[in-house]
Amino acid sequence: MQTRPLQVLLAEDVNMVRGALVALLELQPDIHVVVQVERGDAILPAALAYRPDVAILDVHLPGIDGLSAAMLVHEQLPACRTLILTGIDRPGMLRRSLEAGVTGLMLKHAPPASLAEAVREVAAGRRVVDSQIALAALNEQAASPLSPREGEILRLTANGHSAKEIAAMLYLSAGTVRNHLTSIATKLDARTRVDAVRIARDAGWIL
């Protein structure tokens, strides 16, 4: 007796990436994408409406991030497994995902075929963690990608100082400080300064 395909919710804010993922998954006879969303705050309402077996969530989304959305889904629709897609295997990601109740964690640059297999695994209740992410988790104090100056600026930012105040404290121009903050966000794959502080603290790169 043939069972119904696994019902999947997909959350990704980049249209071309979302379309490619849907096309990839729909090639699988046992997987069907029932709903697509492009914002984190649309995930829970869509999950409650469609009751998918698996929610595939990009970690960075407008509205709320994928991990926060995964936590809401876990609390209100525990039968729905969550699979997070992330672009970087930074330390702390695995721990934060487990805290959010996530079942699977994969890197975006993993082989395409592995995504469908991960969906099947998490739907069956088995945990899936990309080997690179697992390796990063073994060394939570991995070397910081930030330069000493960037680390100093981020620490001051974490303490509540503005770019102008940091410039005065470090004898730099405000523009230079802003450039450093932009570089920090890029290196940490952070959307905001607050996000950069959280990432660096979780990884043990700043106190």
Side-chain angles (χ1 to χ4, degrees):
M1 180 178 177
Q2 185 174 354
T3 59
R4 70 173 178 83
L6 293 172
Q7 309 290 292
V8 171
L9 176 155
L10 177 64
E12 165 61 57
D13 62 330
V14 179
N15 290 335
M16 290 185 66
V17 174
R18 187 171 66 252
L21 290 174
V22 170
L24 170 68
L25 292 169
E26 289 289 347
L27 289 174
Q28 309 299 316
D30 59 335
I31 297 174
H32 176 50
V33 179
V34 294
V35 59
Q36 309 170 41
V37 300
E38 59 184 26
R39 292 181 57 86
D41 47 15
I43 291 171
L44 181 61
L48 292 173
Y50 287 87
R51 304 275 166 168
D53 301 300
V54 177
I56 302 174
L57 315 177
D58 185 7
V59 72
H60 289 310
L61 292 167
I64 62 173
D65 64 85
L67 288 179
S68 297
M71 185 176 296
L72 294 174
V73 171
H74 179 67
E75 292 171 349
Q76 299 195 38
L77 193 65
C80 176
R81 312 294 185 181
T82 49
L83 175 61
I84 291 288
L85 299 182
T86 179
I88 184 169
D89 54 336
R90 58 179 176 247
M93 177 61 73
L94 178 57
R95 175 168 51 81
R96 291 195 300 275
S97 297
L98 294 177
E99 291 170 351
V102 168
T103 313
L105 188 58
M106 289 188 64
L107 291 175
K108 285 185 175 181
H109 59 254
S114 63
L115 177 59
E117 185 57 32
V119 169
R120 299 183 186 102
E121 288 291 304
V122 299
R126 293 185 283 271
R127 194 172 301 282
V128 175
V129 178
D130 188 280
S131 60
Q132 292 185 54
I133 295 174
L135 184 60
L138 292 175
N139 185 10
E140 288 290 325
Q141 300 298 325
S144 172
L146 305 179
S147 69
R149 175 64 82 189
E150 289 170 341
E152 187 175 25
I153 288 174
L154 191 57
R155 280 191 293 274
L156 292 171
T157 300
N159 290 333
H161 296 290
S162 67
K164 185 176 180 180
E165 291 170 338
I166 295 171
M169 296 167 71
L170 299 182
Y171 302 99
L172 300 171
S173 70
T176 297
V177 172
R178 284 191 288 269
N179 288 340
H180 277 303
L181 288 169
T182 298
S183 175
I184 290 167
T186 299
K187 288 181 177 181
L188 300 186
D189 192 26
R191 285 181 178 267
T192 65
R193 294 176 187 178
V194 172
D195 192 30
V197 168
R198 177 184 57 78
I199 291 166
R201 278 180 168 163
D202 286 347
W205 296 329
I206 64 171
L207 300 178

